[in-house]
Amino acid sequence: MTAFDRLRTLVAHAMLPLMNFSATISSIAILWLSSVSDTPELAALTSPQTAAEQITQCGAGAVDIRYDDLLQSYVLTVRDATEAQLRCIETAAGYHDVELQPELQKDFDEIRAAKYSAAYQEHAVAWLSSRGLLDKVPKFRAGETDEAAFSGKLEMFCGPAAKGALQSEYGPRTVSPEWLRKIPLPPRAEDDEAISCLIATASVAGFGLGFIGNEAFAE
C-alpha cells in the first residue's frame, strides 16, 4: 500500500472534524512512516494478541481486544494501569490504539504523540535530504508569513501533482478532501510523491497541516 492509499484510507474512515496537525500526529505519522520507510520494524505491525500480552507484562491488568469497523483498526482496552506503566504500555502496544482509564488517557496520548512527532520529523528530514530538497524548503514564520501564500509555495515546491492540495473552503492548513478524491486509484507515482512531499515539507517548515474525514458520525 502506498502513502496515498494509506492517507486516503484514513480520510475515508476516520470520523475526523477539522483538526490541527498536533491532534492527528499519531495516526498520520504511523501511516506515513510505515509507507515511506524501509525499516522492517516500521513496516511490520505487532498483532493485537501479541501487543495485549506484552501490555500485561508491563504489570497492567487484563486487556480487551476489539475491532473498530469505522476506524478499521484494533483497539486495546487496558482494564487497569498506573501512571508509572504508561511508557511501557505505549511501547508494548506497537501501533495499536489504546484505551485506558480517563485519568491516564491524556498522559498516554501525550507520550505517544511526542514519540511519533520526533520520528516523523526525523523521517521528514531524511525524505527531503535524499532528494536534495532540505535546504530548499520554503521558510515559514508563524504570525509573520501569509498562510495562503505559503500554502501556494508548498504546492509549487512539491510539483504539478500537488496543485490544489491546500486550496479549499477549509483553509490553507488543511489537505483538500476534493483534491484527494480526484486522485486515481491506484495513484500514480507522482501522486504518492506529492503527498509525501507535502507532509515532509510542512513538517520541516513548521507549518501544521490538518486532515478531514468524509463520513458522517454513526448513529
Side-chain angles (χ1 to χ4, degrees):
M1 182 180 286
T2 66
F4 226 110
D5 293 325
R6 293 171 186 274
L7 182 58
R8 290 187 66 167
T9 296
L10 175 73
V11 171
H13 296 286
M15 295 190 309
L16 299 177
L18 179 59
M19 289 187 175
N20 180 273
F21 175 74
S22 62
T24 58
I25 179 66
S26 294
S27 297
I28 298 297
I30 291 168
L31 293 170
W32 187 59
L33 290 176
S34 61
S35 64
V36 302
S37 175
D38 294 326
T39 307
E41 53 267 32
L42 283 175
L45 294 177
T46 302
S47 73
Q49 293 77 18
T50 298
E53 292 176 5
Q54 292 175 168
I55 289 173
T56 59
Q57 291 172 12
C58 293
V63 179
D64 296 322
I65 303 171
R66 65 179 171 84
Y67 186 78
D68 190 308
D69 290 324
L70 187 63
L71 299 180
Q72 293 195 338
S73 62
Y74 287 98
V75 179
L76 309 179
T77 302
V78 184
R79 296 185 188 178
D80 185 46
T82 66
E83 186 172 357
Q85 296 166 349
L86 293 184
R87 292 189 182 278
C88 181
I89 291 172
E90 197 287 317
T91 300
Y95 292 138
H96 298 295
D97 290 329
V98 175
E99 289 183 347
L100 294 151
Q101 305 104 286
E103 64 271 18
L104 295 179
Q105 191 69 54
K106 182 176 181 293
D107 288 343
F108 176 87
D109 292 342
E110 288 178 351
I111 289 171
R112 171 159 284 189
K115 172 182 174 179
Y116 287 133
S117 181
Y120 189 96
Q121 183 73 5
E122 178 182 343
H123 280 269
V125 169
W127 192 93
L128 292 164
S129 295
S130 69
R131 290 160 176 76
L133 298 174
L134 184 60
D135 294 335
K136 302 175 183 178
V137 171
K139 303 299 182 184
F140 176 77
R141 293 181 176 81
E144 298 180 18
T145 305
D146 180 87
E147 294 187 357
F150 184 77
S151 68
K153 289 183 179 180
L154 278 185
E155 290 181 9
M156 291 181 62
F157 183 76
C158 292
K163 184 177 181 180
L166 303 177
Q167 309 301 318
S168 74
E169 62 182 295
Y170 303 106
R173 284 181 174 266
T174 304
V175 175
S176 167
E178 293 79 13
W179 177 74
L180 284 171
R181 284 195 289 268
K182 291 178 181 178
I183 302 300
L185 291 176
R188 303 165 299 174
E190 54 264 40
D191 298 322
D192 203 46
E193 189 81 355
I195 190 61
S196 290
C197 178
L198 288 168
I199 291 173
T201 305
S203 176
V204 169
F207 186 71
L209 290 183
F211 296 83
I212 296 177
N214 61 358
E215 288 191 355
F217 285 92
E219 296 181 355

